[in-house]
């Protein structure tokens, strides 16, 4: 990314930070304003020194007009403490950029030979997401998770601490919010699409999981945690979408039946507060992450019975805020992998080494994360290029594209700057033409590739 493009994104981030102050009673106008600002900034042509002068002047004018936006940012940040369901974290935010420690993945010659298949583009060229397709601001609090529908280029679901979910069409003319799903009485912590995209399951601090019909956006089922403990994550069982797995803040992993609307009697006690959950392709082995720095593998029978398998402890007692599974993403990373975010300023990449879900550390990267539920994702296309890429949010407001093959500063292949608060959610559509990111203030940005 050029210096000029980076400075343009800094101006965009500055405007986004103050956007909530503009015409508070007219969110449509604010969305239109920030989209137009982005368009004008991309069309503007200035030397680097002029951009730097413009940023200083723009910042001064906005502060004089609206005051210091950071005060509001910090006041709203408390809402992401999961309403007191997690232990209090008093450590201040880190703004250290991502760095990569020693360690590498040895490239294979086969990748070198197959680069011609994809035109010889580099990882950096392939992930040059610089343009903004659209900006959504329908949520009034942090957007905890965003996810495109399975094998779908356009439909995007978002969950928020404002107690609602939203389903959007990100490529409409214009892009639109198709529905706001209301029914939870407290913040929505996460959700999942069913394999056919006909259902959405959501989890909430109100101690319920709700199943929504996508056809008419009505609530099909409300499933109550037996003790109404806050539910912090949920997932459809891949091979049987009539079963849903949930993790609550008392460390209980449970299975619910969509048809009956009830939890099964079997309870798997993980401990701590279960913050993150993922499964292998077949939905047989699941991994949970809790607020004690523990990652546990669990076997799920076809009838929903759960058996704990193996536990791995991260070096520090931190929050494991995101876990993603991938069979392989490139010729250099063919083993099954887990991608993990944790509040020790780290992103971990693990090899899955056996059928019981045992993990072996492959790489570790430093990220700015000490307090919030930050997520990351594998890039969905299995790349034939030399290199393999993951994308993560951070508490410094940036989105980082990381080549897991490279080390040092070279591992950062792209950085997006458009959010003015911690970036919580990350999601690609299936063909990587769009990337969606969400932040602590409720802003959702749909990024498109530079050549799109």
């Amino acid at each position: 990314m050029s210096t000029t493009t980076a400075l343009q994104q800094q101006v965009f981030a500055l405007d986004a930070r103050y956007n909530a102050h503009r015409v508070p009673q007219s969110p449509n106008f604010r969305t239109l304003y920030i989209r137009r600002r982005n368009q004008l900034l991309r069309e503007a042509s200035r030397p680097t020194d002029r951009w730097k002068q413009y940023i200083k002047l723009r910042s001064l004018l906005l502060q004089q007009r609206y005051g210091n936006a950071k005060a509001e940012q910090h006041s709203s940040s408390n809402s992401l403490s999961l309403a007191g369901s997690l232990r209090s974290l008093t450590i201040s935010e880190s703004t250290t950029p991502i760095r990569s420690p020693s360690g590498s993945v040895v490239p294979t010659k086969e990748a070198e030979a197959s680069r011609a298949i994809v035109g010889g583009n580099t990882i950096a060229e392939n992930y040059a997401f610089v343009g903004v397709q659209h900006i959504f601001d329908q949520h009034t609090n942090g957007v905890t998770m965003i996810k495109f529908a399975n094998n779908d280029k356009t439909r995007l679901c978002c969950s928020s601490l404002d107690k609602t979910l939203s389903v959007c069409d990100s490529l409409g003319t214009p892009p639109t919010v198709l529905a706001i799903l209301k029914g939870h009485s407290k913040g929505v912590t996460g959700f999942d699409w069913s394999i056919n995209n006909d259902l959405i399951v959501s989890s909430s601090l109100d101690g319920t999981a709700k199943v929504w019909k996508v056809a008419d956006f009505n609530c099909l089922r409300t499933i109550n945690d037996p003790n109404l403990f806050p539910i912090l994550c949920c997932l459809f069982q891949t091979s049987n979408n009539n079963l849903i797995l949930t993790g609550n803040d008392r460390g209980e992993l449970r299975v619910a039946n969509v048809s009956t609307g009830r939890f099964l009697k079997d309870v798997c006690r993980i401990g701590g507060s279960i913050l993150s959950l993922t499964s292998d392709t077949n939905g047989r082995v699941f991994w949970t992450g809790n607020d004690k720095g523990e990652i546990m593998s669990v076997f799920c029978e076809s009838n929903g019975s759960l058996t704990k398998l193996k536990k791995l402890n991260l070096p520090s007692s931190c929050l494991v805020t995101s876990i993603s599974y991938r069979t392989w993403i490139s010729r250099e990373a063919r083993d099954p992998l887990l991608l993990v975010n944790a509040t020790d300023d780290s992103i971990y990449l693990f090899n899955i080494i056996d059928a019981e879900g045992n993990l072996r550390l492959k790489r570790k990267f430093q990220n700015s994360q000490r307090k919030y539920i930050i997520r990351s994702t594998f890039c969905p296309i299995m790349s034939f290029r030399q290199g393999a890429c993951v994308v993560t949010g951070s508490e410094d407001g940036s989105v980082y594209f990381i080549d897991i093959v490279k080390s040092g500063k070279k591992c950062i292949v792209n950085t997006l700057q458009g959010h003015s608060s911690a970036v919580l959610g990350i999601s690609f559509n299936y063909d990587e033409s769009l990337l969606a990111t969400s932040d602590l203030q409720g802003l959702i940005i749909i990024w498109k590739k530079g050549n799109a």
Side-chain angles (χ1 to χ4, degrees):
M1 183 170 60
S2 67
T3 302
T4 299
T5 301
L7 291 170
Q8 287 172 319
Q9 289 189 13
Q10 287 181 34
V11 178
F12 178 67
L14 180 65
D15 274 297
R17 184 183 310 152
Y18 285 90
N19 202 38
H21 296 275
R22 298 185 180 95
V23 196
Q25 305 304 320
S26 181
N28 290 335
F29 175 82
R30 294 200 304 270
T31 302
L32 181 64
Y33 175 89
I34 200 67
R35 287 182 62 202
R36 181 58 177 159
R37 283 290 295 159
N38 176 69
Q39 180 183 0
L40 292 173
L41 288 170
R42 285 189 285 117
E43 292 174 352
S45 176
R46 296 185 179 93
T48 299
D49 57 338
R50 292 292 181 87
W51 275 113
K52 292 179 179 178
Q53 294 174 12
Y54 180 81
I55 291 173
K56 292 180 181 178
L57 180 60
R58 182 70 176 167
S59 178
L60 179 62
L61 291 173
L62 289 171
Q63 286 183 27
Q64 290 178 349
R65 177 68 177 85
Y66 298 111
N68 190 352
K70 281 199 176 265
E72 178 168 323
Q73 174 183 336
H74 289 302
S75 65
S76 66
S77 68
N78 294 330
S79 63
L80 208 66
S81 63
L82 300 183
S85 64
L86 302 179
R87 71 178 189 274
S88 176
L89 293 175
T90 57
I91 304 174
S92 60
E93 290 186 43
S94 167
T95 56
T96 306
I98 293 181
R99 297 189 297 273
S100 172
S102 60
S104 63
V105 181
V106 179
T108 61
K109 294 181 179 179
E110 288 87 347
E112 194 77 26
S114 63
R115 290 181 66 187
I117 297 176
V118 288
N121 290 342
T122 65
I123 285 285
E125 290 169 338
N126 193 49
Y127 296 113
F129 282 79
V130 294
V132 173
Q133 170 72 18
H134 191 69
I135 298 167
F136 291 103
D137 65 351
Q138 65 270 19
H139 291 290
T140 59
N141 209 329
V143 176
T144 53
M145 179 182 282
I146 53 175
K147 190 182 295 186
F148 280 96
N150 300 308
N151 299 314
D152 194 308
K153 292 179 64 172
T154 65
R155 281 185 300 171
L156 177 75
C157 186
C158 318
S159 61
S160 174
L161 291 175
D162 67 6
K163 309 175 187 178
T164 70
L165 299 97
S166 61
V167 180
C168 310
D169 179 359
S170 58
L171 282 177
T173 309
T176 56
V177 178
L178 300 176
I180 300 293
L181 310 184
K182 299 180 180 180
H184 286 293
S185 60
K186 293 184 179 179
V188 184
T189 54
F191 68 91
D192 191 28
W193 291 88
S194 65
I195 194 68
N196 295 321
N197 300 323
D198 56 339
L199 299 175
I200 294 173
V201 60
S202 58
S203 57
S204 172
L205 297 173
D206 64 12
T208 69
K210 289 183 178 291
V211 181
W212 309 84
K213 292 172 60 180
V214 176
D216 56 14
F217 301 115
N218 287 325
C219 182
L220 176 67
R221 294 278 187 274
T222 297
I223 308 172
N224 295 303
D225 183 277
N227 300 299
L228 286 182
F229 294 142
I231 301 177
L232 307 181
C233 54
C234 60
L235 201 65
F236 277 103
Q237 214 275 2
T238 308
S239 59
N240 181 4
N241 275 192
N242 195 45
L243 298 180
I244 297 167
L245 281 82
T246 66
N248 67 21
D249 79 338
R250 300 300 174 95
E252 297 172 345
L253 184 65
R254 294 179 177 271
V255 179
N257 185 297
V258 174
S259 298
T260 64
R262 296 180 179 179
F263 280 99
L264 308 183
K265 292 182 179 180
D266 189 22
V267 181
C268 187
R269 303 188 187 280
I270 303 297
S273 296
I274 302 176
L275 304 175
S276 49
L277 181 63
T278 194
S279 76
D280 65 8
T281 306
N282 299 320
R284 304 303 296 275
V285 179
F286 288 75
W287 289 266
T288 66
N290 67 11
D291 63 342
K292 295 184 177 181
E294 299 171 344
I295 301 173
M296 177 75 74
S297 60
V298 178
F299 185 76
C300 181
E301 301 278 1
S302 57
N303 63 0
S305 296
L306 302 173
T307 304
K308 286 191 290 186
L309 297 175
K310 301 295 181 179
K311 182 171 70 173
L312 179 140
N313 290 86
L314 296 182
S316 61
S317 181
C318 54
L319 308 185
V320 180
T321 64
S322 174
I323 305 181
S324 301
Y325 171 89
R326 191 62 188 269
T327 50
W328 66 281
I329 54 177
S330 80
R331 292 183 181 273
E332 290 87 12
R334 300 192 67 147
D335 299 322
L337 300 171
L338 279 190
L339 180 66
V340 174
N341 286 68
T343 55
D344 59 353
D345 286 331
S346 298
I347 301 171
Y348 295 88
L349 190 68
F350 292 100
N351 283 118
I352 303 167
I353 60 177
D354 59 28
E356 293 190 330
N358 265 310
L359 305 177
R360 181 177 61 232
L361 183 63
K362 187 182 188 78
R363 295 295 303 276
K364 179 183 176 182
F365 302 90
Q366 187 167 346
N367 189 23
S368 177
Q369 184 183 2
R370 280 283 171 177
K371 187 175 183 180
Y372 300 122
I373 307 297
I374 303 293
R375 305 183 194 275
S376 62
T377 185
F378 289 105
C379 296
I381 294 179
M382 292 182 287
S383 176
F384 288 98
R385 300 167 183 83
Q386 187 171 11
C389 202
V390 300
V391 185
T392 185
S394 69
E395 290 181 359
D396 63 17
S398 298
V399 178
Y400 293 101
F401 292 71
I402 306 170
D403 186 343
I404 65 171
V405 174
K406 297 180 180 179
S407 59
K409 293 182 178 180
K410 293 182 179 179
C411 71
I412 307 299
V413 297
N414 195 8
T415 303
L416 302 181
Q417 296 175 317
H419 293 279
S420 59
S421 59
V423 179
L424 309 180
I426 298 277
S427 180
F428 274 106
N429 65 352
Y430 80 95
D431 68 352
E432 293 186 351
S433 60
L434 296 177
L435 175 71
T437 58
S438 64
D439 67 25
L440 186 63
Q441 295 181 336
L443 196 71
I444 300 160
I445 300 178
I446 311 298
W447 307 86
K448 61 181 178 180
K449 286 188 178 181
N451 57 0

